[in-house]
Amino acid sequence: MHALGLDLGTSGIRLALLDPDGRHVHTARRGLPESSGADDSHAEQDPMQWWSHVRELLREAAGLLRGAPAAIAVDGTSATLLRVDHEGRPTHPALMYNDARATDMQSVLAGVAPTESAVHSPSSSAAKLLWLRRHEGLSGVRHVLHQADWIAGRLRGRYDRMDENNALKLGYDALWGGWPDWLQDILGTDAALLPTVVPAGTVLGPLDPAMAESLHLNPACRVVAGTTDSIAGFLATGVDDDRTGVTSLGSTLVIKQLAPEPVYAPKLGIYSHRLLGRWLVGGASNSGGTVLRQYFDDAALERLSAAIDPETDSGLDYLPLPRPGERFPVNDPELKPRMTPRPEDDTRFLQGLLEGIARIERDGYQRLTELGTPPAERVVSLGGGARNLVWTRIRRRILGLPVTRAEHDDAARGAARLARIGIGLEPGFTD
């Protein structure tokens, strides 16, 4: 059976098609407009636009499948929440992952949710849901769903399932394996809006027959419970052991590592997702590519990097943050960036920034080890910064570990791999 992965990202939707042996066959993408809102704290998108692009991508892939069945899994941006009616139709625009209007819900959640819960942020799904209930009401709503859950529901014609990874920021207790009492108590009768939660990779069922006909897909296609976009990116790397760290070098620095036991440190922004029989632990620094972009464009980064000697330290002790405040690997909302003195030589200045970010990465893995994850013995990199070979050599020197670039880091491919695992074409981590 083939495998289809759909990645619903910030700026676009991507599809990856793998053949029955797991080889890549096809990739396609459709762009999305920027989120809109009344002010900087509001970020909304029209879910029907997501569906329009998903339908186009699946019809295109159907021509390559030529009637062969496929397993389909969907990943989406974490904490992007929408409300649907009894027929699964969105009743309002979706509140995107970075919508932070629910500041007045933080005190409410602080009074009821345990500190280790992933809900303590105005952008969490739980904060969004409580804000919507207080300010807009939930009349006519049958389910609250995340982006990936809703697309999977459209394919099945049923909207009664949610994957564990997306459910975490809605208050789901991954340790206990259910919606906690505190959430059901605060929601009251609205707790009925919460779908049943299943592990990522669970086979949810076949395509709705009418939908299969509309998409020109074999009705024997199976829909598999998906995950978040960042976890799909991790799955794309193929890392399946708990001694390999995965670093994403995008606009921010994010590290993830498998562990046999969960780790929770909410003040550091560290949570654990249950994934295919293991626990995926992760933390995100405010440092990363955004800092570099404050000083250099792509051309300058490439030109200056080529002039750096990565084996010789710059002697600059920088803490590259885009603005005051850091949460991981230290929690200090007042922590000030340190990027002075700035030398006249831009090459040395860039080297100091790259070394500073690498030290944050090193400290991040050390912090995970202190909290209980196995010590990382190697690091696999993904994201735009992974393409900078000089930076890779700097990171090897500072981390004291082998550092390589992931062969694959496309989240759509990770979702397709999750689909393959779900139907038994690949082993899960427990195997």
Side-chain angles (χ1 to χ4, degrees):
M1 185 177 282
H2 290 71
L4 282 163
L6 286 162
D7 167 46
L8 280 69
T10 303
S11 60
I13 297 175
R14 193 173 179 91
L15 176 144
L17 173 61
L18 305 181
D19 71 11
D21 294 320
R23 294 186 295 257
H24 179 261
V25 176
H26 170 71
T27 296
R29 183 183 183 278
R30 297 291 188 276
L32 289 171
E34 289 188 9
S35 302
S36 60
D39 56 48
D40 290 343
S41 68
H42 291 54
E44 299 180 348
Q45 284 186 5
D46 178 7
M48 294 309 296
Q49 193 162 39
W50 308 336
W51 175 246
S52 176
H53 290 333
V54 166
R55 185 173 53 198
E56 290 177 11
L57 290 167
L58 288 174
R59 284 176 172 170
E60 185 178 305
L64 300 170
L65 286 168
R66 296 176 183 174
I72 306 172
V74 187
D75 76 74
T77 49
S78 176
T80 291
L81 192 74
L82 66 157
R83 296 155 281 175
V84 301
D85 64 17
H86 284 76
E87 296 183 4
R89 295 175 300 198
T91 61
H92 297 78
L95 273 59
M96 297 301 292
Y97 70 99
N98 56 339
D99 189 291
R101 71 185 70 177
T103 54
D104 56 342
M105 294 297 105
Q106 287 184 275
S107 60
V108 175
L109 288 165
V112 294
T115 57
E116 65 270 19
S117 175
V119 303
H120 297 288
S121 163
S123 61
S124 74
S125 310
K128 290 184 175 85
L129 175 57
L130 295 181
W131 188 94
L132 291 169
R133 187 172 72 155
R134 172 178 290 184
H135 295 281
E136 296 186 3
L138 298 171
S139 177
V141 176
R142 177 61 187 92
H143 286 301
V144 290
L145 300 167
H146 294 97
Q147 197 175 28
D149 309 315
W150 182 66
I151 293 296
R154 293 280 296 188
L155 295 172
R156 297 172 57 232
R158 296 173 59 93
Y159 301 87
D160 55 351
R161 294 292 184 270
M162 178 179 290
D163 73 82
E164 280 187 327
N165 302 153
N166 275 293
L168 198 70
K169 290 186 178 179
L170 190 52
Y172 181 77
D173 189 328
L175 276 171
W176 172 61
W179 296 113
D181 291 341
W182 67 260
L183 180 62
Q184 299 192 60
D185 289 345
I186 197 171
L187 288 176
T189 57
D190 288 330
L193 304 180
L194 302 172
T196 300
V197 178
V198 298
T202 300
V203 177
L204 299 175
L207 281 180
D208 174 75
M211 183 60 67
E213 183 177 359
S214 170
L215 297 174
H216 314 303
L217 290 170
N218 190 316
C221 288
R222 292 292 184 267
V223 181
V224 174
T227 184
T228 67
D229 54 348
S230 64
I231 294 178
F234 176 90
L235 288 169
T237 67
V239 170
D240 60 1
D241 67 276
D242 58 15
R243 296 285 176 166
T244 302
V246 175
T247 297
S248 175
L249 296 169
S251 57
T252 59
L253 168 70
V254 181
I255 68 174
K256 293 185 183 296
Q257 189 176 342
L258 288 170
E261 301 293 338
V263 172
Y264 292 97
K267 290 183 178 180
L268 296 172
I270 297 175
Y271 302 98
S272 296
H273 286 275
R274 184 153 49 186
L275 183 65
L276 304 174
R278 299 268 191 91
W279 294 90
L280 184 62
V281 184
S285 168
N286 292 336
S287 187
T290 297
V291 181
L292 303 178
R293 296 290 181 191
Q294 291 177 346
Y295 300 98
F296 306 109
D297 59 20
D298 283 344
L301 285 170
E302 184 175 355
R303 173 175 53 82
L304 296 171
S305 294
I308 292 173
D309 177 2
E311 305 306 327
T312 302
D313 196 88
S314 69
L316 298 169
D317 182 23
Y318 286 167
L319 180 63
L321 297 172
R323 65 190 65 84
E326 177 67 301
R327 188 160 72 157
F328 175 80
V330 296
N331 177 32
D332 184 349
E334 305 300 326
L335 186 64
K336 291 181 172 57
R338 188 174 64 251
M339 292 174 283
T340 57
R342 176 170 179 171
E344 294 183 5
D345 181 2
D346 279 349
T347 298
R348 184 164 172 247
F349 178 56
L350 174 60
Q351 181 176 355
L353 295 176
L354 296 177
E355 289 171 347
I357 298 172
R359 283 191 289 269
I360 293 172
E361 179 184 5
R362 176 199 62 197
D363 294 348
Y365 281 112
Q366 290 178 352
R367 181 54 58 94
L368 290 187
T369 301
E370 291 168 3
L371 292 169
T373 64
E377 296 177 355
R378 65 197 69 83
V379 172
V380 171
S381 310
L382 50 90
R387 294 192 290 269
N388 188 322
L389 299 182
V390 170
W391 197 6
T392 297
R393 292 176 64 186
I394 289 173
R395 293 168 55 224
R396 285 175 187 156
R397 169 169 59 84
I398 290 177
L399 272 68
L401 297 172
V403 179
T404 58
R405 181 182 173 187
E407 183 178 357
H408 305 292
D409 64 1
D410 178 8
R413 186 187 183 103
R417 183 170 176 240
L418 182 60
R420 285 175 51 80
I421 293 170
I423 61 171
L425 291 180
E426 283 190 40
F429 298 147
T430 50
D431 294 311

